[in-house]
Amino acid sequence: VAFLPGGEYLASASADGEIKLWDVLSVTEVAALKVWPAGVLTSVAVSADGALAAAGVDDGRIALFDLEKRKPLGVIRGHKD
């Protein structure tokens, strides 16, 4: 999990292949961003400005997401760790 700047939102990586964005105060899911092709997300990190997220996928890919537009940006392949 990773907090977005300001602490109002939290990003979580999930086994169903989604980064979920949560409103911390209301404890509700506000968005779900799906990695494609599907894979189990094992970690998530958010940029310092809260605009981007990177998620580790169990097959070695890194999925990139635009959090402001709430859409996937692409996948980096070949990660070995």
Side-chain angles (χ1 to χ4, degrees):
V1 297
F3 280 96
L4 277 69
E8 296 176 38
Y9 297 98
L10 177 76
S12 65
S14 63
D16 65 1
E18 293 181 336
I19 287 181
K20 297 180 189 235
L21 296 179
W22 302 89
D23 181 309
V24 175
L25 296 177
S26 66
V27 194
T28 57
E29 182 182 314
V30 295
L33 307 170
K34 187 83 169 169
V35 64
W36 184 257
V40 175
L41 301 184
T42 58
S43 60
V44 65
V46 176
S47 63
D49 64 359
L52 302 173
V57 186
D58 68 344
D59 63 3
R61 293 177 289 150
I62 300 170
L64 303 173
F65 296 89
D66 182 324
L67 295 180
E68 293 175 342
K69 295 179 182 176
R70 303 216 170 138
K71 67 177 193 172
L73 293 174
V75 174
I76 299 170
R77 299 182 189 279
H79 181 64
K80 301 293 182 196
D81 294 330

